[in-house]
Amino acid sequence: MTIRFGVIGLRRGSSFVRVCRAATGATVTALYDIDAAAVETAAAEIGARPFSHYEDFLNADIDAVVVASPLPFHAGQAAQALRAGKHVLSEVTACLDMDQARELVTAARKSSATYMMAENYRYMDEVELLKRLADDSRFGDIYYLEGEYLHDCKDLWFDHDGNLTWRGRGQLGVYCTHSLGPLLYITGERVETVSCVVVPGGKFIPDNHNPTMHLMQMVTDKGTVLRVRVDHVSPRPHQMAYYAVQGTQAALESWRGHGDTSKTWLADEHEPSRVSGDGAQWHGTDRFAARYIPERIAAPPEASFGGHGTSEYWLLRDFLATVRGEMACPIDVHRAMDYTLPGIVALESALTNGTPVAVPDTRQF
């Protein structure tokens, strides 16, 4: 069965179009963007139908919608597509406030179609390696994890006319899903409370006072402690993804750049951890990758068309399998909210200098 996709948003959606070329059972037959001229050109290049009116787009001969529009539109467009009976693969984050969260959860519950959030970092090879090591009990009891996303995006704060974009206007919650989502995938848990402090804004663009950095500390429903740092403005090399896991029997830390590689130490096969003498040393993760994620290593070259390693390739495969009824949705609407809502309520915590705030569980809505 070939799934016919309609893609919303040319800028980010173009990467999905490329990934579809590598997937079996997927084709893009419609494109939607508010720039009518641009969407006409893009659609002609791939043999798709162009649309600049959303209702007409939803009435096209498509089975599924990819929501790759700016963040403020994600929840509304996804909910409308679900109400129209279209499967939805939505870019992050799932929503920007609690009202949107309720609308999206309600639409997903009432629809016969599938909703999945496209958190591509959860599909990165290193994250899958961490997950499989954890499932194999190599870490022992995991009690602490870290995630960071450090990316100077100030160039995206203004459009060609010098007006602030949605990124520049800010106050959309902490964009934490790239950091938090993988940690929750590894543990299988959800965040119960979040504490957040910020570095004030105005340091680089004086009249824009969105926070320079968010630092979130969280506790899950199983008592695991998580720490997430998000920074989209500080001048520095891009740290696309950094993760750290600490358990009773092992530790792992991602690469930090400048020739660094990911590294691990495991009690069951490395030096003992002790205060003196020849104690624990870091070891490379390559041989663990060969053992635990061999299919990732063997991915075809075209699996990298999405631009984030092979993550979008594996994500799309799971979405297609879900739509075909071959598996449960790995990031359904509730899991999407588990990844998203801590970043929304974190703003409330930041206003009180880090007072912990409870994170709603949408399964109880």
Side-chain angles (χ1 to χ4, degrees):
M1 177 174 65
T2 297
I3 305 300
R4 300 166 299 174
F5 281 94
V7 178
I8 304 171
L10 295 181
R11 181 167 186 168
R12 175 65 183 132
S14 61
S15 66
F16 178 82
V17 173
R18 293 193 300 270
V19 172
C20 267
R21 298 176 190 170
T24 300
T27 184
V28 176
T29 59
L31 297 178
Y32 166 78
D33 197 277
I34 60 173
D35 188 332
V39 77
E40 286 271 1
T41 300
E45 291 175 352
I46 64 170
R49 294 181 63 193
F51 294 90
S52 54
H53 295 285
Y54 192 52
E55 289 74 15
D56 293 340
F57 170 76
L58 288 180
N59 287 326
D61 292 329
I62 55 176
D63 307 302
V65 166
V66 176
V67 180
S69 51
L71 191 157
F73 301 104
H74 288 178
Q77 289 177 336
Q80 192 172 347
L82 288 167
R83 289 193 288 266
K86 310 297 184 183
H87 303 291
V88 172
L89 182 62
S90 174
E91 280 289 353
V92 300
T93 59
C95 59
L96 60 82
D97 58 34
M98 292 305 302
D99 288 339
Q100 287 192 353
R102 291 182 182 278
E103 178 189 11
L104 182 54
V105 169
T106 298
R109 278 178 170 163
K110 292 182 177 180
S111 179
S112 60
T114 293
Y115 172 91
M116 178 172 168
M117 188 171 76
E119 178 40 74
N120 53 351
Y121 279 49
R122 171 251 191 258
Y123 281 90
M124 287 188 168
D125 289 352
E126 182 172 61
V127 172
E128 188 62 27
L129 173 61
L130 285 166
K131 171 64 173 173
R132 296 184 190 184
L133 284 167
D135 288 350
D136 198 27
S137 301
R138 300 302 298 274
F139 290 105
D141 179 15
I142 296 175
Y143 53 86
Y144 176 72
L145 301 96
E146 294 181 29
E148 293 185 357
Y149 183 70
L150 313 176
H151 192 187
D152 184 0
C153 294
K154 292 191 295 295
D155 290 348
L156 301 178
W157 277 31
F158 297 91
D159 63 21
H160 295 301
D161 298 321
N163 301 310
L164 284 172
T165 65
W166 63 270
R167 296 176 187 270
R169 289 190 295 272
Q171 297 304 311
L172 302 176
V174 184
Y175 190 82
C176 64
T177 65
H178 288 338
S179 303
L180 177 60
L183 305 186
L184 297 182
Y185 172 54
I186 293 165
T187 64
E189 300 168 9
R190 62 169 295 273
V191 174
E192 283 199 335
T193 62
V194 57
S195 171
C196 180
V197 293
V198 302
V199 175
K203 294 183 179 299
F204 305 103
I205 304 174
D207 59 348
N208 191 301
H209 297 285
N210 295 323
T212 299
M213 186 193 85
H214 294 88
L215 183 65
M216 302 165 62
Q217 296 192 118
M218 294 158 278
V219 180
T220 73
D221 53 344
K222 300 295 179 60
T224 305
V225 175
L226 312 177
R227 173 187 171 276
V228 164
R229 176 187 172 195
V230 179
D231 185 337
H232 290 157
V233 298
S234 295
R236 53 167 294 135
H238 181 18
Q239 179 70 51
M240 182 175 177
Y242 171 80
Y243 305 107
V245 178
Q246 181 64 61
T248 55
Q249 295 296 316
L252 186 146
E253 294 187 5
S254 296
W255 59 274
R256 281 291 197 183
H258 197 59
D260 187 22
T261 58
S262 297
K263 47 209 172 286
T264 190
W265 170 85
L266 289 86
D268 60 3
E269 63 178 87
H270 294 141
E271 311 83 8
S273 177
R274 57 192 177 196
V275 70
S276 60
D278 296 327
Q281 304 290 321
W282 288 118
H283 299 264
T285 60
D286 286 351
R287 72 184 188 86
F288 295 107
R291 172 181 171 184
Y292 283 94
I293 55 170
E295 80 284 8
R296 299 300 185 100
I297 297 171
E302 59 269 23
S304 299
F305 283 172
H308 295 84
T310 61
S311 60
E312 280 108 350
Y313 173 78
W314 300 108
L315 183 154
L316 178 57
R317 284 168 59 104
D318 274 8
F319 180 72
L320 293 172
T322 300
V323 169
R324 292 193 296 258
E326 298 168 0
M327 64 181 291
C329 184
I331 313 178
D332 67 6
V333 71
H334 297 300
R335 203 56 175 155
M337 294 303 166
D338 291 343
Y339 293 7
T340 299
L341 293 188
I344 292 175
V345 302
L347 298 184
E348 179 182 346
S349 173
L351 292 174
T352 58
N353 295 316
T355 301
V357 177
V359 178
D361 182 354
T362 57
R363 299 163 187 81
Q364 308 303 319
F365 277 9

